[in-house]
Every structure is written in C-alpha cells, then in structure tokens.
Amino acid sequence: MTSQTLREARKYEETFEKMIAEEERPAFHLSPRTGWMNDPNGFSWYQGKYHLFYQYNPYNSYWGPMHWGHAVSEDLLHWEYLPAALAPDEIYDRDGCFSGGAVTLPDGRQLLMYTGVVNERQPNGGHTEVQTQCLAVGDGTDYEKYENNPVLDEKDLPEGSSRNDFRDPKIWQDEDGTYCCVIGNRAADESGQVLLYTSQDGFRWEFKSILASNHNRIGKMWECPDFFRLDGKWVILTSPQDMLSQGFEYHNGNGTLCLIGDYDKETGKFIEESDQSIDYGIDFYATQTLLTPDGRRVMIGWMQNWDTCNHRRKHEEAWFGQVSLPRELSIQNGRLCQKPIRELEAMRCNRVAFENLTFSGNIYPEGLRGRRVDMEIVVRPVEGCDMYRKFAVRFAQNDQYQTSFSYRPGESVLKVDRKFSGSRRAIIHQRRSKVLCKDGVLKLRIILDRFSVEAFINDGEQVMTAVLYTDQEADGIYFSADGTVSIDVVKYDLL
C-alpha cells in the first residue's frame, strides 16, 4: 500500500521532471529526476537491468527530507527514471530514509536495506538523530516496508558504539547463501568503524564483528562502507568525514578511502595491508559497487563534495547532484585501479587523432572541441631537449572560461584547476595529486560530460574528478607547455 507521502513525491517528480530540458542535464551521468541528489543507493542488477537508487529531495535542489529516487539502465550510461521508491513515512524513518543497499531474494523479489532516521528530542530541548536499519521488499518498482522494522538498532551495537552515527548498510549474499551487510558507525573513541552483520534469510540480522577500525587515523566517522573480494585481495571502500591531509594522499574535509588486505572469515576481521584515496580530485564521495552479470566489479560515487555544494545557485536550479561515470575496478601492483566502463566506447564517434605533435608554448590542434568528449593523451619529453617544466591541457574553454589539468614532471604533481570555470563562489577550485610517472611520460584519459570532467591517469592508477557548470558554448580544447614536449592525442565525441 503506497503511503500518501510517497504518492505526493511521485506526483511531484512526474510533473516537475518535464520542466528540465534534456540539454540542461548531463548526457550520460545520472542526475536527479528533479530536485536534490546525494549518495547512490541500492546499486544492483535485477530483472535484467541495472538499478540505481539515490538520496533524494524531490521538492528542492538542496538537502531535505531524504527519499530514495530510482532509475534503471541497460548499459549504466543511459538511464530511465522510475517512480521514487521510498519516502520518510513511518515512525522509525520519519526524518529520512538514508543510504543503503539492495539484493535479490530467492523468491525473485528485491530486498532494500536502508537507514531510518528519527530526530529525537533531548531533555535539554535539543534534538539528536537516532539511526536504525530498516527493510523494504518489492518488485523493481513498488516496495513495501517490512512490518518488523527496524531490524537493527542500538541493542545490536557493540559496547560504546554510537546510535547516532550508525548508517549506510551495504548488503550482499555470500557464496554459501548467507546474507551479509557492512554498516558505518562511530566507536567509543569518536572515530569510524565498519560493522559486519549476517542473516540467514535477509530479515533477521545479528552482529558478527567489528570488521575494521579507524582509531582516529584517517578522518573521523566512516560513511558508506563497501566490502568485496577483488583480484585475490579483500577491499574496503568508505568515505571518511573530517579528514586531515596527509601529504598528497588525502585532502582535508570529506573524502574517500580504499583499504586493501586480507579477511579472516571465521573471526570476521579485515587484515589491512595498504590504504589510499579512491579519487584525488575535488568532487567524489559515497561510493557503491556491484558485480555485473559478466563478473566485473563496477563502482560509482556521488560526483560532488559536501564542501562545494554552493557551486550552483541551488535555489534557482531545477536539479543538483550527479553520479560519477561507472568505473571498472582492478588491483594492479597493490593499488586500486579504475577504468571507465567499457560500454562508453560504444558512444564514441568523430575520431580525431594527432601523433608526435612536438611544440612549446601553446598549440590549438584543429578539430579539438566539445563538451561530451573522450580524449586520450600521451605526453613525453623530446630527445635532445631539456626536460619540460610544465604541460597543461585546457578544456571547456573560450575567451572567458577554461578548466585545466597541468603536470610538472620535476615534482611529479598533477593539478586540476577550475577557478575560471564560471563559479561565483569561493569554494575549492584546485587540487593536486602526486602521480607515478617515469621519465616525464604521462598518460591521461579525460572524459567530459556537460557538467563534469573525470581524468584517468596512467591507465587508471589514479582518478581526478570535478564538476564544472561552465557555459556550454565554452568548448575549446588546447595544450600548452613550458619547455618542449611531444604528445599523441586521440579524441572522440560521445553521442
């Protein structure tokens, strides 16, 4: 039985979606049907399609009462909106249906697991959020909340753990049929931990272990955890809040973290071997992964940063928030490696290529334009010349605007810079990353959509992501060098 709250949300989104023209949206990155989007949820393969839900306020283009928006796709690039799946309409989730995951049950129904939020009044007159884990079951369009919600609450927490920061369940089914989920939580030392729970039927859950603990090393609370096996290793992905930078590896604020290691299934303990950022750019948070039917581990994230949400004049815009390009994951030389999903190659057309372009200063190769672009660049020093001091590629460019990636081989540092992208806000516009380049040779694959750029560095060893709301008329692409370089360029339009 659909609640009045959900019916109203569905009616509203159906009406107001029509007011957003197709060219006002990203071409192949999912944005909200209308209003606000943050974390991707319930990323799954169900009934022959990819399903993606998302944190959603249909009524305004800023954060508000959290619903679950819903879209489906056959290729993870072209999306069809379905009606909103969840609304905050029960006593245990009246202040928000927060992030979660999805799994298919043996009877063919889809099970959603999400965090229900209640703002509880305190004796001093203030309020505090209490977070519990809840279920809903449905057919891919309509979902009914479980009569015994919530299924996990404060009594299911290890001693000293916070009931206020207990959220974002990621659910999957193990090879032996057991259902598992990881949940982000704050420990007694005020820092993040990932909790592991198990269930035999997907409905009755019990605490298994503290899978991993932060001990105040990397940020504070760990949000949106994910846990999976990849190329013989075990991987935890999570999004820490309140990070301090550690050289070039982590940046201040809210960021992303990948832990690679081993897993003791008996004790439910993760044995950490290495850590790294997931994305080194400006706008990337709250990852989720799925296993495709052909066995690829694919990740997406919210292509935004909580500290840059004033980038657009949200009260004047019909939508806010995008999901990143889906990325195929692997582990290479002990590091997480990401490549654009291979389905993107089917969208390529209008190939333009240049080989061994040797220059210093600026160069404007003919035919290099566009705001929906897949471009591969190899940069190298020229034999007989001194090592170049700086190389830059500039795009979304005209007389007024430009965004750039620039590389200094002497420092092995790559920088993204969007301060001339048309933003009227004093937000983060630059970020730098230490990249692993040999002898001044750099490989970049740059994917442009109307309102974003994602750069895959050295075959996906690192990625840098940023949103940019530059006027679409700014579509120039050119290169500059301090010193002499030789470059190869292959550029496609994406249609």
Side-chain angles (χ1 to χ4, degrees):
M1 181 80 176
T2 308
S3 72
Q4 179 70 18
T5 308
L6 185 57
R7 284 199 303 274
E8 287 172 2
R10 287 177 165 189
K11 187 175 177 184
Y12 186 94
E13 65 180 1
E14 194 177 344
T15 301
F16 282 85
E17 171 197 22
K18 296 168 185 161
M19 300 183 182
I20 306 171
E22 189 178 323
E23 61 272 13
E24 293 171 5
R25 292 187 178 277
F28 50 92
H29 290 76
L30 181 67
S31 57
R33 193 169 179 181
T34 182
W36 164 277
M37 162 198 280
N38 56 289
D39 308 1
N41 300 153
F43 191 32
S44 53
W45 172 261
Y46 180 67
Q47 292 183 343
K49 289 186 178 179
Y50 294 103
H51 285 249
L52 183 56
F53 306 83
Y54 52 90
Q55 293 287 273
Y56 182 39
N57 176 15
Y59 300 110
N60 287 296
S61 53
Y62 46 86
W63 193 94
M66 282 291 100
H67 297 59
W68 273 34
H70 191 187
V72 293
S73 174
E74 292 180 359
D75 64 357
L76 291 168
L77 296 166
H78 301 90
W79 293 93
E80 173 195 345
Y81 293 112
L82 293 183
L86 299 176
D89 53 17
E90 295 287 349
I91 194 162
Y92 50 79
D93 64 13
R94 64 175 182 258
D95 293 304
C97 298
F98 279 19
S99 293
V103 72
T104 303
L105 292 168
D107 63 9
R109 294 178 300 163
Q110 191 176 37
L111 179 70
L112 309 183
M113 191 173 196
Y114 69 97
T115 299
V117 178
V118 174
N119 271 322
E120 193 179 80
R121 190 174 176 84
Q122 300 302 294
N124 65 4
H127 288 80
T128 185
E129 274 185 4
V130 177
Q131 301 179 349
T132 60
Q133 312 317 315
C134 307
L135 301 173
V137 182
D139 60 3
T141 303
D142 297 307
Y143 297 85
E144 192 170 326
K145 291 178 182 177
Y146 182 44
E147 59 189 14
N148 294 322
N149 278 342
V151 294
L152 290 170
D153 59 23
E154 59 187 296
K155 72 178 182 306
D156 303 295
L157 285 164
E159 190 176 349
S161 300
S162 170
R163 69 190 189 122
N164 311 114
D165 289 306
F166 176 43
R167 58 183 173 271
D168 311 336
K170 174 66 194 294
I171 183 174
W172 73 95
Q173 192 170 17
D174 224 341
E175 290 168 355
D176 65 4
T178 306
Y179 295 91
C180 305
C181 78
V182 285
I183 303 176
N185 182 236
R186 192 160 43 82
D189 68 356
E190 296 293 306
S191 95
Q193 59 187 5
V194 178
L195 306 180
L196 177 63
Y197 292 83
T198 60
S199 170
Q200 292 309 305
D201 61 1
F203 292 88
R204 292 183 295 275
W205 289 85
E206 51 188 51
F207 174 73
K208 165 85 173 175
S209 63
I210 299 173
L211 180 69
S213 298
N214 183 14
H215 301 305
N216 282 303
R217 293 173 304 141
I218 303 168
K220 289 289 190 180
M221 171 66 184
W222 282 0
E223 296 196 301
C224 305
D226 201 344
F227 182 51
F228 50 88
R229 191 172 172 83
L230 182 67
D231 295 335
K233 291 290 184 183
W234 285 88
V235 178
I236 291 177
L237 304 182
T238 187
S239 295
Q241 296 180 313
D242 306 307
M243 300 170 83
L244 293 173
S245 59
Q246 297 179 19
F248 289 101
E249 189 52 60
Y250 300 108
H251 54 68
N252 302 71
N254 300 307
T256 54
L257 168 65
C258 169
L259 302 174
I260 298 173
D262 206 350
Y263 174 52
D264 184 332
K265 191 170 181 178
E266 283 302 306
T267 61
K269 294 290 183 185
F270 176 77
I271 300 103
E272 183 182 326
E273 294 171 4
S274 65
D275 65 89
Q276 65 175 90
S277 295
I278 302 171
D279 193 290
Y280 292 80
I282 303 173
D283 296 299
F284 191 79
Y285 195 74
T287 59
Q288 277 211 349
T289 70
L290 61 65
L291 206 55
T292 63
D294 60 4
R296 291 172 287 162
R297 178 64 62 172
V298 171
M299 178 188 72
I300 51 166
W302 181 41
M303 200 159 53
Q304 193 57 52
N305 177 334
W306 283 112
D307 295 321
T308 61
C309 287
N310 289 328
H311 200 150
R312 300 186 89 191
R313 300 182 300 278
K314 292 187 299 230
H315 295 271
E316 301 169 26
E317 305 290 350
W319 63 270
F320 183 85
Q322 307 169 66
V323 169
S324 74
L325 195 66
R327 304 169 184 183
E328 298 181 16
L329 302 185
S330 62
I331 292 177
Q332 311 279 347
N333 303 317
R335 286 184 59 85
L336 184 74
C337 195
Q338 307 168 53
K339 291 190 175 181
I341 191 163
R342 64 193 66 169
E343 283 83 344
L344 188 71
E345 290 162 27
M347 294 172 59
R348 287 171 163 183
C349 61
N350 304 331
R351 184 178 188 268
V352 178
F354 303 90
E355 273 189 47
N356 295 316
L357 273 179
T358 301
F359 70 96
S360 60
N362 297 333
I363 188 169
Y364 298 79
E366 196 172 329
L368 280 195
R369 310 196 72 81
R371 287 289 290 275
R372 287 172 289 164
V373 164
D374 186 348
M375 180 168 60
E376 297 181 48
I377 308 164
V378 180
V379 186
R380 64 182 82 82
V382 175
E383 197 173 333
C385 298
D386 291 338
M387 176 64 74
Y388 64 95
R389 289 167 293 282
K390 180 182 174 183
F391 166 81
V393 51
R394 306 178 197 280
F395 48 90
Q397 178 268 335
N398 62 11
D399 291 342
Q400 186 173 7
Y401 304 116
Q402 65 171 39
T403 297
S404 68
F405 286 99
S406 58
Y407 175 59
R408 295 181 181 273
E411 305 162 26
S412 213
V413 167
L414 183 70
K415 180 173 79 171
V416 59
D417 186 342
R418 64 168 182 205
K419 64 178 174 289
F420 300 114
S421 67
S423 170
R424 298 176 186 272
R425 295 287 179 268
I427 58 172
I428 303 161
H429 288 314
Q430 297 179 336
R431 199 152 263 156
R432 297 183 302 159
S433 177
K434 195 96 170 172
V435 296
L436 309 169
C437 292
K438 191 179 178 188
D439 302 326
V441 178
L442 173 72
K443 292 177 76 174
L444 289 176
R445 183 174 173 190
I446 294 173
I447 312 290
L448 286 173
D449 200 349
R450 292 187 177 109
F451 305 106
S452 64
V453 60
E454 291 159 278
F456 295 80
I457 303 150
N458 292 336
D459 297 313
E461 280 180 355
Q462 289 167 281
V463 187
M464 297 179 81
T465 301
V467 300
L468 42 124
Y469 294 103
T470 315
D471 290 352
Q472 296 299 301
E473 297 76 44
D475 66 352
I477 299 170
Y478 75 99
F479 308 102
S480 66
D482 180 0
T484 305
V485 299
S486 176
I487 64 173
D488 300 335
V489 183
V490 181
K491 175 251 175 183
Y492 300 89
D493 292 325
L494 294 170
L495 293 179

